[in-house]
Each structure stands twice: as structure tokens, then as C-alpha cells.
Amino acid sequence: MKKELVIVLDFGGQYNQLIARRVRECNVYCEVHPHTLSLDRIREMDPKGIIFTGGPNSVYKDDSPRCGKEIFDLGIPILGICYGSQLMAYMLDGTVENAPVSEYGKTEVEVDHGSLLFGDVETKTICWMSHTDYIASAPEGFTVTATTPVCPVASMEDPKRKLYATQFHPEVMHTAEGMKMLYNFVYKVCGCRGDWQMSSFVDDTITSVRQKVGDGKVLCALSGGVDSSVAAVLLSKAIGKQLTCVFVDHGLLRKDEGDEVEAVFGPDGPYDLNFIRVNAQDRFYRRLAGIAEPEQKRKIIGEEFIRVFEEEAKKIGAVDFLVQGTIYPDVIESGLGKSAVIKSHHNVGGLPDCVDFKEIIEPLRLLFKDEVRKAGRELGIPENLVSRQPFPGPGLGIRIIGEVTAERVRIVQDADAIYREEIANAGIEGLGQYFAALTNMRSVGVMGDERTYDYAVALRAVNTTDFMTAECSEIPFEVLQKVMNRIINEVKGVNRVMYDLTSKPPGTIEFE
Ligand code: XMP
């Protein structure tokens, strides 16, 4: 049976992926596409609904992003958000102007319960606004269904044509009842039934992998991170011993992580796959000796990783398929032509050139990160693996400022393990990412009656939803003090502990 689909047309808004995630949280499959997606393609995809994102432009400028006007005649329900709402108004001959006052932040909006979007929403509800233009008058056929003191058309609709628009952002969590509104759109307006369930995704993927692979051989680079772990388990359930996982321990993992990965995926673990652990620690440390420049370190780690993997792959011989842990945000970013240039990212994704294989399998390419975790739980992967924080491909290599040595790795591993343990002991949940890093600063201290001249460890903890921006987390002072005490007492070579307050931007989450 055909699966339900809602599509998000991206007009350059920062929340494009968030909208799709929210729709999927309503159990309806949702994809993000550029606003230039052709009408023919849209007809072919036959979505149950379309959502226009926000964006930074003014609709009345000549070069602002648009879509074909016929989209409004397809009979497919459309929800325009922020710029998307203005675009709908403008293209259908309403008026959009520069607002006398721009609205930014949490704003009380008065809604009309007669609207399908707002039936079960409080009459006065807090919504997130972020706009300098506004719809001054709605197009013919539309009714205004929400207002604010500043905004005469905070929401409008033409239910006959199934066209809906909100000036505010229902997808962000600051909109108190935003999820209800999106739910109402996909269920009450679009008539979805909600067939996007992780259990069926897992079953369908297992079936399709079996069909695709037949009796072929599959190779997977396992890093111990969430994505490659979930991909490996999914494949092992589908094809068992036809799968070989190569786990390169580059000596830059968190404390005991290599053994933890082996315990799960190795011969004593619950999965029936071929597991090869390569202990390449010394090799990496040798290559990194004397190198302090961050980009050079990243490059060396990336190259060496590929080399080790390639050597192992050669021992295995020709394989039919190579698994890649690509997830949906990577697919969207490449489709929309965006790329990050601040740091050269390395992960197990960039391998195909060096290995003899016929085809790539990307079992997670439809999933957002939180859905990968859900799939992992569905597959029965241990919670400590599934809820693991993101960990960069170059590992501790970029959490040690300056040269990487075995001794420095030991220091940062021990400090980080203490930090994680105390965060868990304090029951602190919901942190985006937190870790210890080793600075290249040594300073004078006193321990007992002795002078010390040792390293400073930096603790970092950030709250973030998208990893593009982040705020320093407010970890209780007592917890930080306890971590400091333990690190100084238990980790040889450290006599000072600092807490990094920097947000991103201007900082980045990692130190290098
Ligand atoms: P930054 O430091 O750029 O990090 O603010 C943003 C997020 O990306 C992770 N990160 C990486 N992930 N390979 C990865 O797979 C990398 O080379 C890499 N560098 C940074 C970082 O941990 C954070 O979650």
C-alpha cells in the first residue's frame, strides 16, 4: 500500500528540517525539498500535504524564492509558515508589507476555534514570531483566523481550497501548542492516518535489504557511534553472517569504548555477524606525533582511518556492498547544496573510493537522528549505545589541543569518564553534548606542600537542537565542583579545571 507523504518546500528557513521532524513525530512521513521542485514531480509524488517554510527574504522583491502559482490549484492542502504564509498571500493577490513594528519572540496570539488548525487550541496561545514583513490583507476567499496586536493576519485560511497559513512558527517548541496545530494540519486538513511507524520501517528495511543483497557479501565500517551501530544491527538481522563489520580502534575513543563496542558486536555479543577489531592505536599516535595544527590532525586521522580500513577490506577480498551510515540531514544538505566549511568533517561515510565493492547500501538515509535512535531501540540495541552523544570521527584527537600523545589521550579519557559519571550520578538529563577536553596550557599549582606544573582540563556542556548553534548548559555548581575535585585528585598530570562558557557561534562545540 502506498505510504502517506507530506513534503516541506524549503524557502531558505532555518527550521526546514525541524518542520519535517515534527510532522514525523505525528507519525506521518515527511521529506524536505528545494522550493524549485517541479509541479510534475510534486504530482508524481502525490503528497497528502505541502508545507512552505519560512525564509529570510521579502516576497515582494524580484529575486525572492517562489514556486509556480499552479501549486495552489493542485487540490493538495498547503500550510504556509512565516515567509511561506506571506508568499501564499502575495501570490494569491493579498498584500504583504514591511510591518510597522517587527515581532520577535514569544507572542500571545488570539485564535479562532472555528479553524480546523485551532479547534483544540487555547483562545489565547503563545506562539513564536520572527518577522519584519507581514500580511496586511488576506487574499480574496481567505478568512483571518488569528491576530496579534501587531499582526492583523497572524493566520489565514481558505478551507475550500485547503490553503492555510500562519505568520508564526508552529514547529518550534516556543509555540506552546504548535504540535497540536501541525497534528491538526496533517490529520484534519490533509486526512492522514499516520502510517509512519518505526516498527514497520525496521521490518520493511530488513525485507528490502534481504532482497537487494541476495547471497552477496556486505562490509560495514563500525565506529561504535549510534548511526553505524544501528546500521550494523539492522543489516545483521537481515543477512546475518553475510555481513562483516570492521571496527578500527584509533586510540582516540572515550575510555573503555573500544571494549564496549567489542562486547556488543564481537563474538560474545548477541549478534550473528563477522566482527573484526583492528587495534591501530600506536599507528595513529605515530602519525600524529609532533602535529599540533587542527586541520592537519583531522586530515591525518581521516587518511589513516581509510588506510587501515582499506587494508582490512583487502584481506576480506571483493565485497558486493558497502554500508554507509548516511542519515536524512546529510541527504537534505547535499540536495539543497549547502555545505559546512568551518571544519573538515570526517566520519565513516567517506570510504567508498578505496574499497572494491559494487554498490552502497544506506539503510538509514530516510531517518533523522532521533529516529535512528528509535530504530535502535526497536532493534533491541542496548540503551547506552542508542542514547550515546554524538562523537566526532576524529575522536579525542580534536579534544586534545595541540599534539596528541598516548599520555594526553589517557588524561582526557580519565577526566571525561569522571565528568560523565558525575553527570549521570547527579541525574542531569537532556544535555545536548558534554565532554572534557585537554587544553595545551600548563600552569602552576600546589598539591600537599608541593609545587605542581600541570595541565588544565576544560569541561564543556552545551544545549543544542541542531548542533549549528549551541548555548552553554547551566550545570549546577556543586556538580562542577565535585567533578573538579575528582579530576584533580584522580587524574595524574592535571592541576586545574575550567568550565567553558562559550556559545556557538562564536565558538564551535569541539575545540578544534
Ligand atoms: P562543531 O565543533 O563544528 O561540532 O561545533 C558540531 C557537531 O559536529 C560534531 N563533529 C563531528 N562529527 N566528524 C563527525 O562525525 C567530525 O569530524 C566532526 N567534527 C565535529 C561535534 O561533535 C558536534 O556534535
Side-chain angles (χ1 to χ4, degrees):
M1 206 172 67
K2 188 178 168 305
K3 292 267 191 211
E4 293 169 344
L5 167 71
V6 166
I7 59 176
V8 169
L9 287 191
D10 180 41
F11 289 93
Q14 52 179 326
Y15 301 128
N16 58 8
Q17 296 191 21
L18 190 57
I19 299 171
R21 274 170 52 198
R22 293 284 182 255
V23 171
R24 290 190 189 189
E25 280 169 29
C26 299
N27 296 117
V28 173
Y29 181 65
C30 185
E31 288 181 356
V32 182
H33 290 276
H35 67 272
T36 47
L37 190 70
S38 73
L39 287 178
D40 284 345
R41 184 74 191 107
I42 294 177
R43 276 192 208 96
E44 233 170 75
M45 293 165 103
D46 190 23
K48 302 285 280 185
I50 300 173
I51 301 180
F52 293 176
T53 71
N57 300 75
S58 284
V59 288
Y60 42 79
K61 298 259 167 69
D62 286 344
D63 56 354
S64 59
R66 310 256 166 91
C67 53
K69 197 171 170 185
E70 301 82 0
I71 196 166
F72 299 110
D73 302 323
L74 294 175
I76 302 171
I78 301 179
L79 171 65
I81 295 175
C82 197
Y83 176 89
S85 74
Q86 296 165 7
L87 187 72
M88 184 184 289
Y90 183 77
M91 289 176 72
L92 295 173
D93 300 324
T95 42
V96 177
E97 293 170 358
N98 191 244
V101 194
S102 28
E103 273 180 315
Y104 183 80
K106 291 183 183 173
T107 308
E108 191 173 79
V109 175
E110 196 161 339
V111 305
D112 173 355
H113 291 280
S115 163
L116 281 181
L117 282 191
F118 305 130
D120 48 356
V121 168
E122 298 286 326
T123 308
K124 290 186 174 175
T125 187
I126 296 294
C127 298
W128 184 257
M129 287 284 193
S130 172
H131 64 110
T132 45
D133 287 347
Y134 71 177
I135 303 172
S137 60
E140 220 181 293
F142 277 75
T143 344
V144 175
T145 51
T147 53
T148 75
V150 171
C151 207
V153 187
S155 180
M156 61 173 198
E157 65 187 43
D158 178 351
K160 276 204 214 95
R161 298 166 72 189
K162 299 188 189 155
L163 303 179
Y164 292 75
T166 62
Q167 178 57 67
F168 52 84
H169 290 269
E171 72 279 18
V172 305
M173 65 186 178
H174 306 302
T175 296
E177 299 178 273
M179 269 307 279
K180 272 188 205 167
M181 300 171 192
L182 288 174
Y183 183 94
N184 290 341
F185 178 68
V186 292
Y187 284 88
K188 297 186 181 156
V189 178
C190 303
C192 293
R193 295 176 317 280
D195 61 7
W196 176 244
Q197 309 282 348
M198 209 33 74
S199 51
S200 38
F201 169 82
V202 165
D203 292 344
D204 293 351
T205 308
I206 289 176
T207 311
S208 66
V209 166
R210 267 189 202 136
Q211 273 167 4
K212 183 168 185 173
V213 170
D215 55 7
K217 263 210 286 190
V218 181
L219 179 62
C220 173
L222 189 63
S223 70
V226 181
D227 302 343
S228 67
S229 300
V230 173
V233 173
L234 200 52
L235 266 104
S236 92
K237 298 245 165 168
I239 54 164
K241 280 251 160 35
Q242 285 165 258
L243 172 69
T244 301
C245 288
V246 173
F247 166 53
V248 177
D249 186 342
H250 51 21
L252 302 166
L253 297 167
R254 285 166 287 205
K255 191 173 183 178
D256 299 330
E257 200 165 36
D259 296 341
E260 282 167 25
V261 172
E262 184 168 351
V264 174
F265 293 99
D268 300 330
Y271 304 112
D272 184 29
L273 48 83
N274 297 306
F275 174 82
I276 299 172
R277 176 176 178 172
V278 190
N279 287 314
Q281 294 89 333
D282 292 341
R283 206 171 145 161
F284 278 84
Y285 298 157
R286 270 201 302 278
R287 286 283 323 268
L288 289 165
I291 311 288
E293 206 281 312
E295 279 300 297
Q296 216 183 336
K297 280 161 64 178
R298 280 177 170 272
K299 254 183 105 189
I300 290 175
I301 298 168
E303 278 168 17
E304 197 62 15
F305 189 91
I306 290 178
R307 209 160 295 156
V308 175
F309 186 78
E310 190 178 21
E311 284 170 21
E312 287 310 309
K314 280 206 180 105
K315 287 184 206 160
I316 298 166
V319 292
D320 302 287
F321 301 90
L322 186 73
V323 181
Q324 280 202 294
T326 319
I327 65 172
Y328 192 55
D330 310 329
V331 176
I332 303 178
E333 305 272 304
S334 52
L336 299 176
K338 292 180 189 162
S339 65
V341 287
I342 311 290
K343 298 175 185 181
S344 54
H345 271 214
H346 148 70
N347 48 36
V348 292
L351 294 169
D353 294 349
C354 65
V355 179
D356 189 10
F357 69 100
K358 289 191 207 124
E359 231 183 293
I360 288 179
I361 298 185
E362 297 173 310
L364 309 177
R365 67 177 278 121
L366 295 183
L367 303 187
F368 284 111
K369 191 84 182 184
D370 40 354
E371 293 176 310
V372 175
R373 294 189 207 278
K374 266 195 208 163
R377 290 189 186 103
E378 198 63 47
L379 286 158
I381 302 177
E383 188 57 35
N384 67 337
L385 255 180
V386 169
S387 55
R388 207 162 247 185
Q389 309 177 37
F391 187 64
L396 300 181
I398 57 169
R399 292 181 182 172
I400 294 171
I401 301 177
E403 189 189 4
V404 174
T405 63
E407 171 64 0
R408 289 177 169 204
V409 170
R410 195 250 332 142
I411 293 178
V412 76
Q413 276 179 338
D414 287 349
D416 184 69
I418 290 171
Y419 188 27
R420 281 189 287 139
E421 201 177 305
E422 290 304 329
I423 293 280
N425 287 346
I428 300 172
E429 282 174 9
L431 296 175
Q433 199 171 1
Y434 60 97
F435 53 85
L438 184 62
T439 73
N440 55 353
M441 185 191 92
R442 292 173 80 196
S443 64
V444 174
V446 54
M447 245 183 150
D449 290 328
E450 296 287 320
R451 175 187 191 270
T452 57
Y453 184 58
D454 279 333
Y455 283 112
V457 159
L459 303 178
R460 182 114 171 98
V462 294
N463 294 338
T464 176
T465 44
D466 54 8
F467 297 91
M468 307 289 281
T469 58
E471 293 291 335
C472 164
S473 316
E474 288 187 37
I475 305 221
F477 199 61
E478 321 77 82
V479 178
L480 289 174
Q481 264 182 321
K482 190 157 186 203
V483 175
M484 177 275 293
N485 265 321
R486 281 197 57 197
I487 291 179
I488 290 188
N489 285 320
E490 296 172 36
V491 185
K492 198 167 157 282
V494 179
N495 68 353
R496 206 172 278 269
V497 176
M498 329 231 200
Y499 189 59
D500 183 358
L501 297 174
T502 323
S503 54
K504 172 181 179 176
T508 53
I509 295 176
E510 303 290 349
F511 281 70
E512 291 193 336

